[in-house]
Amino acid sequence: MMLSQAVFVLFNGLASGMAFFLVAAGLTWVFGILKLLNLAHGAFFMLGAYIAYTIGGSWPESVWAFLGVALLSAMAVGALGYLTDLIVLKRLRGVDYHYALIATFGLMLFCEGVAKAIWGTDYFAVMPPPEVDRAIVIGGSYISLYTIFVIGLGILTFLVLEIIMHRTWAGKIMRAVSNDPWMSGTVGINVPMVLMLSVIASFALAGFAGGILVPNQALSTHVGASFVLFAFLAVVIGGLGSIRGTFIACIMLGIVESANATFLSQYGGIAIYVLLAVFLVWKPNGLFPAQGAT
Amino acid sequence: MKRRTVLKGMAASAGAALGMNATYLRAQSGPIRVGVSYALTGVGAPVGTQFLQGTEIAAMQVNRAGGINGREIELIVRDDKYNSAESVAVTRELAGDGVNLIIGGSQTVTALGIAPLAPELGALIVIAGAAGMPVTHQLFNKNIFRTVSNNYTQYGSFGRSLIESHPDVKTWISMAPDGDFGRDSALFFGNAVKKYSVEAAGEEATVLDTIYTQGTATDFRTQINALMSSDAEGLYIGVAGAAQISFFQQARSVGLYDKFKVIGEVGNGEVTGKAMGRNTYPNLWSVSYWNHGLEPFKSNPLSQQLYDDYVDLTGDPFPPALIMAGQRSAMGLFDGIRKAGSTETEEVVAAMEGMTFDTPAGPCYFRPEDHQMLCTNYYSQMGPSREEPYYDVMQMAQIDAAEMVEPANPGKPFSLGEIE
C-alpha cells in the first residue's frame, strides 16, 4: 500500500509540477531578461484559457486540434503581450520596480474585468482530447492519460526553452541583453526589439499554458490563481529568471504538494510553505541565482 | 421660568416637530428602500448574481402590481465580494444611508459577518442563502430571518432522500471541504443515510470516513484516487462552485462515473450542469430550489410567473434554481412589510414572526422562536442531454422541512446529541 502510494505521490507530483512549469516558464523568462515581476501573468494565462475555450469549445476533436487551439491561443496572447508592452511595460523600463509591480497589478485587475465583461461569471468546462481522456491503473493508482500528456508537454517546453536559451544565437543575444543592455546596444544589438520579443514570448507561453491546462479545472476568471501562486513560488525557489531552476523547483513543489495532500490532508498546503521557508533560509537567491545576485 | 425661555422652547419644539414630520412624510411617501448585499464578484459571484436576479424579479413583480401600499420597492445593491469584512462594511454603509431593511448573506461566510450587526444597526436583515447552523443558533437575534433551510435540515433531508430512492446502494462516502460547513453537511448527510437506510433497505448502510479537501481546491487527483480505491457506490460531494466542476472534470477522465451508482452534490445544480453539459454525471442529485418545468412547480402560477419574468429579463430560457431562492427571500420581506403596513424595523419583525407566505415552491413559514424559514426541500436529478443546454433535470424529490428540522434553540450552539 505504501509503495503504491509513493508511486502515486511521485507521479501526481510530477504532473502537478509540469503544470506549474507550463505557467511559470513565461514568468521566469520575462523576469530573466527584463527583470520584470509580472503580477498580471496569471491574468494572461486566464485569457489564454478563455481564448482556447472560445476557439475550440468544450470538446476537442483530437490531440492535434487541441494543440493547434493552444498554439492559436498562444499567438493571441502573444499579440496582447505586444500591445501591453507598447502601452504599459515599455514605459516602465528603467524606473523603480515598485512602479512595475503596481502597473502589472492594475493590469491584472483590468484583464479580469475584461474577461468578466466578455465571458460573464458563469463557469465553463473543457474536456481533454479523446485520445487522452481516459485512465490507466498503475500499482492500484488511477492515472489520467491527460496528466501524462501534460507531463510530456512540460518536459518538451523545458527542453525547447533550454535549447533556445543556451544553444542558439537568439538565446545568447537575449542573455547578453539581460546581463548588460547598455553594452549589448553598443555592439549593435537592437535592445528594444529583443526586450519586446521577450515580452511577446512570455505572454505567448502564458497563453499556451492556458490552452493546455484548461481541461484541468473549471474555467472562470479565477482559473489562474492557484497555478500562478505555485509559479511564483517556483520562480523564487528556482532563482529569479532561471528556467532550469524553475523547472526543478516546479517538480519539487509538485511532489511536496502531492505528498501533503496524500499523507497530511488535514494540513492542506502547509508543506509548501515549509519548503519555501527552508529555501529562503538555505538558498535565499534560489537554486540557480542570477549573476550578481546577493 | 422666564417668558422668553418658554417661547424659545416652544419655537424649538415646533421646529423640531415640523422637521421630523417632514422626514417622516418623506419616508412614508417615497419608494421603500431595500438594501441588497450579495457576492457579485469573487468566487461566490455565480451564486450571488443569481440571488440578485431573483431579488430584482421580486421587486419588479411587486412594483408592477402597484407596489406595497402604493409605494414602489427601490433596491440599493451592494457587492459583499464573498468576503465577511466587506459584507460588514457594506451593511454598515447601507444602514448609515438610512436603509433599515436589508437582504444579504448569499453564503454562510458573509452571513456570519452581518447577522450579529442587525440589532446594533436597528436593521432587519434577511439571510438569504446561508445554511450555517450558527445563524439561527448562537448568532440568533430578533432582527434576522433566514430564508433557506439550515445545514441539518438541508443535508439530513438530502441523505434521507437519496437512500430512499437508492436503497440498493449499501456503501456511501463523502468528499467535503475541511471546514465547519463541509464537516457538518457530510456528517448530517451520512447520519441520515444510516438512519433511513434501515427503513428503506432493511439494513443499515455503511458510511465510510469522509475525505476532506480544501473548499477552493483545484487539484483533486489524490481525493479521486482515494474514492476510486474505496468500496463506496454512493458519493456525496460537499465542495461547491468552480471546485466541484474541476472535480468532475478530473474524475470523469479516470472512470469515476462508472464506479458510482449515484452522486449527490451540495447545491451547484445547474451551475455544474451548464459547465459540464454532455459530460454531466448521469445520476447527479443536487440540493435544489426550483424547476419550472417539473411538478410541483409546473402547476404553480407563481412559479410560471417567475419563469416568464426571468425569460423577459434575461432572454435565457434556462433559469438556474437559485433564482427562486433570491426571489423567495425578497418576497418574504415584502410580504412582511405589507403585513406590517410599515417599514419600521420593529413592526416588520413582529409581522414576519410566524408569518406564512406563498412562494413558487409552495407556502413557507417563519418559525417564531428562531426565525428559521420552513418550506419543502427539493432535490433534483440531473443528467446529460443531447439538446441544448446539454444537461437535463429529470425529476425532483421533496421532503418537508418540518419533518427534518431540529427544535428551535435560539442563542445556543446547535448540538447533534440533543436530536439523535
Side-chain angles (χ1 to χ4, degrees):
Chain A
M1 187 63 182
M2 280 301 286
L3 183 65
S4 75
Q5 275 190 324
V7 169
F8 178 76
V9 164
L10 282 174
F11 191 87
N12 194 29
L14 194 58
S16 297
M18 289 305 95
F20 301 155
F21 178 72
L22 283 170
V23 182
L27 192 67
T28 198
W29 176 285
V30 82
F31 187 88
I33 294 163
L34 272 82
K35 306 291 179 280
L36 170 76
L37 198 54
N38 182 10
L39 294 181
H41 191 77
F44 286 95
F45 166 81
M46 175 261 295
L47 288 179
Y50 270 114
I51 291 168
Y53 165 74
T54 305
I55 299 171
S58 291
W59 300 280
E61 287 179 10
S62 68
V63 164
W64 298 111
F66 180 72
L67 281 172
V69 166
L71 287 171
L72 284 174
S73 179
M75 288 164 65
V77 179
L80 290 176
Y82 170 70
L83 288 175
T84 306
D85 189 55
L86 208 62
I87 298 166
V88 182
L89 301 181
K90 209 172 181 177
R91 300 168 198 274
L92 297 171
R93 284 172 199 145
V95 300
D96 191 274
Y97 73 94
H98 294 106
Y99 292 99
L101 287 179
I102 293 166
T104 54
F105 183 73
L107 197 56
M108 177 187 80
L109 297 178
F110 175 75
C111 289
E112 286 182 6
V114 167
K116 198 179 287 181
I118 297 174
W119 289 284
T121 54
D122 281 350
Y123 298 121
F124 303 100
V126 175
M127 303 305 147
E131 296 91 329
V132 293
D133 193 15
R134 58 194 171 85
I136 52 171
V137 182
I138 302 174
S141 296
Y142 292 80
I143 309 289
S144 151
L145 282 182
Y146 169 71
T147 61
I148 297 174
F149 175 70
V150 169
I151 291 172
L153 275 178
I155 294 170
L156 185 67
T157 304
F158 168 66
L159 292 175
V160 168
L161 293 180
E162 272 291 290
I163 289 168
I164 289 174
M165 201 51 105
H166 296 285
R167 297 280 183 273
T168 65
W169 274 105
K172 286 176 182 170
I173 288 170
M174 279 188 242
R175 279 158 54 206
V177 170
S178 167
N179 286 335
D180 194 335
W182 180 82
M183 182 59 83
S184 302
T186 61
V187 298
I189 295 173
N190 186 343
V191 175
M193 174 69 81
V194 171
L195 296 179
M196 186 192 71
L197 289 175
S198 300
V199 171
I200 292 173
S202 165
F203 277 61
L205 281 168
F208 181 70
I212 292 297
L213 296 177
V214 66
N216 206 52
Q217 60 175 280
L219 178 54
S220 73
T221 52
H222 304 282
V223 72
S226 63
F227 285 122
V228 167
L229 174 66
F230 282 104
F232 273 105
L233 295 179
V235 170
V236 170
I237 292 173
L240 294 166
S242 166
I243 288 171
R244 202 171 295 173
T246 301
F247 181 74
I248 294 169
C250 282
I251 293 174
M252 283 167 51
L253 283 170
I255 290 172
V256 168
E257 168 68 3
S258 177
N260 194 156
T262 305
F263 300 116
L264 290 169
S265 58
Q266 69 273 38
Y267 303 109
I270 194 168
I272 292 293
Y273 295 100
V274 171
L275 180 75
L276 183 65
V278 167
F279 266 89
L280 287 177
V281 173
W282 177 46
K283 288 216 174 251
N285 294 316
L287 290 169
F288 294 88
Q291 281 183 355
T294 55
Chain B
M1 189 181 285
K2 290 179 181 174
R3 190 180 59 175
R4 187 172 293 176
T5 310
V6 173
L7 285 173
K8 273 184 187 171
M10 286 173 64
S13 303
L18 278 171
M20 282 176 64
N21 202 31
T23 308
Y24 178 76
L25 284 173
R26 268 202 306 277
Q28 296 301 309
S29 59
I32 298 171
R33 300 167 77 218
V34 174
V36 178
S37 162
Y38 291 143
L40 305 179
T41 55
V43 294
V47 170
T49 48
Q50 289 174 16
F51 264 95
L52 178 61
Q53 281 181 324
T55 300
E56 287 175 337
I57 289 171
M60 187 180 81
Q61 290 174 335
V62 168
N63 291 341
R64 190 171 54 208
I68 299 173
N69 300 328
R71 297 173 66 192
E72 289 207 333
I73 300 290
E74 181 192 348
L75 297 181
I76 301 162
V77 180
R78 295 289 182 268
D79 178 10
D80 68 28
K81 299 178 182 166
Y82 193 59
N83 177 304
S84 184
E86 191 68 25
S87 71
V88 169
V90 298
T91 304
R92 284 190 182 281
E93 186 223 323
L94 285 166
D97 197 27
V99 178
N100 68 314
L101 303 170
I102 298 169
I103 307 167
S106 49
Q107 287 106 341
T108 298
V109 65
T110 51
L112 294 182
I114 62 175
L117 281 182
E120 175 196 332
L121 302 176
L124 184 161
I125 301 180
V126 172
I127 302 293
M133 300 306 292
V135 172
T136 47
H137 284 267
Q138 61 264 48
L139 292 183
F140 173 76
N141 61 71
K142 296 280 281 181
N143 291 27
I144 57 171
F145 288 80
R146 170 158 45 195
T147 51
V148 68
S149 287
N150 64 36
N151 272 341
Y152 175 75
T153 303
Q154 190 73 274
Y155 297 99
S157 302
F158 195 21
R160 176 181 169 178
S161 174
L162 283 193
I163 191 65
E164 285 178 350
S165 57
H166 298 81
D168 56 317
V169 178
K170 305 293 183 195
T171 308
W172 294 75
I173 193 167
S174 295
M175 186 193 76
D178 192 5
D180 285 350
F181 171 78
R183 287 182 179 276
D184 280 357
S185 68
L187 177 68
F188 301 151
F189 180 92
N191 283 358
V193 163
K194 278 199 269 193
K195 182 176 175 183
Y196 290 97
S197 59
V198 178
E199 209 173 294
E203 58 179 311
E204 187 175 289
T206 303
V207 178
L208 303 176
D209 288 345
T210 299
I211 295 172
Y212 289 105
T213 180
Q214 289 174 301
T216 54
T218 52
D219 183 354
F220 291 96
R221 283 190 292 256
T222 306
Q223 291 80 8
I224 290 167
N225 200 48
L227 291 172
M228 291 295 290
S229 305
S230 77
D231 295 329
E233 296 172 304
L235 169 64
Y236 163 70
I237 300 170
V239 294
Q244 188 186 108
I245 295 161
S246 299
F247 169 81
F248 278 117
Q249 278 177 288
Q250 293 162 25
R252 196 189 61 89
S253 287
V254 297
L256 187 129
Y257 281 21
D258 298 326
K259 176 178 172 57
F260 285 97
K261 290 180 179 172
V262 56
I263 296 178
E265 64 86 16
V266 64
N268 254 27
E270 293 88 344
V271 173
T272 295
K274 268 186 182 175
M276 294 301 293
R278 293 197 295 252
N279 294 104
T280 304
Y281 175 72
N283 189 22
L284 179 63
W285 287 81
S286 302
V287 170
S288 185
Y289 296 93
W290 175 60
N291 184 292
H292 77 281
L294 296 172
E295 292 297 352
F297 310 103
K298 199 173 176 181
S299 53
N300 183 332
L302 291 177
S303 171
Q304 291 312 305
Q305 188 60 59
L306 175 60
Y307 177 75
D308 292 343
D309 287 338
Y310 174 83
V311 175
D312 283 349
L313 191 72
T314 64
D316 172 17
F318 309 109
L322 277 176
I323 295 291
M324 199 286 287
Q327 191 257 9
R328 179 175 69 178
S329 298
M331 279 302 184
L333 177 63
F334 299 159
D335 277 16
I337 299 169
R338 190 176 289 115
K339 186 180 168 196
S342 163
T343 56
E344 295 301 318
T345 301
E346 292 298 322
E347 291 172 38
V348 182
V349 167
M352 286 174 70
E353 280 186 344
M355 182 180 84
T356 298
F357 64 107
D358 284 326
T359 77
C364 293
Y365 164 72
F366 284 116
R367 192 161 62 173
E369 297 91 341
D370 61 357
H371 298 183
Q372 171 64 58
M373 190 178 77
L374 302 181
C375 296
T376 303
N377 288 324
Y378 295 96
Y379 304 98
S380 62
Q381 184 198 19
M382 284 199 305
S385 164
R386 290 175 185 278
E387 294 168 6
E388 232 184 330
Y390 303 114
Y391 72 92
D392 194 17
V393 180
M394 286 91 83
Q395 59 169 315
M396 302 286 279
Q398 62 186 68
I399 289 184
D400 188 345
E403 292 178 29
M404 295 293 290
V405 72
E406 85 285 12
N409 204 358
K412 293 180 182 158
F414 171 72
S415 167
L416 199 56
E418 290 174 19
I419 307 165
E420 295 177 349

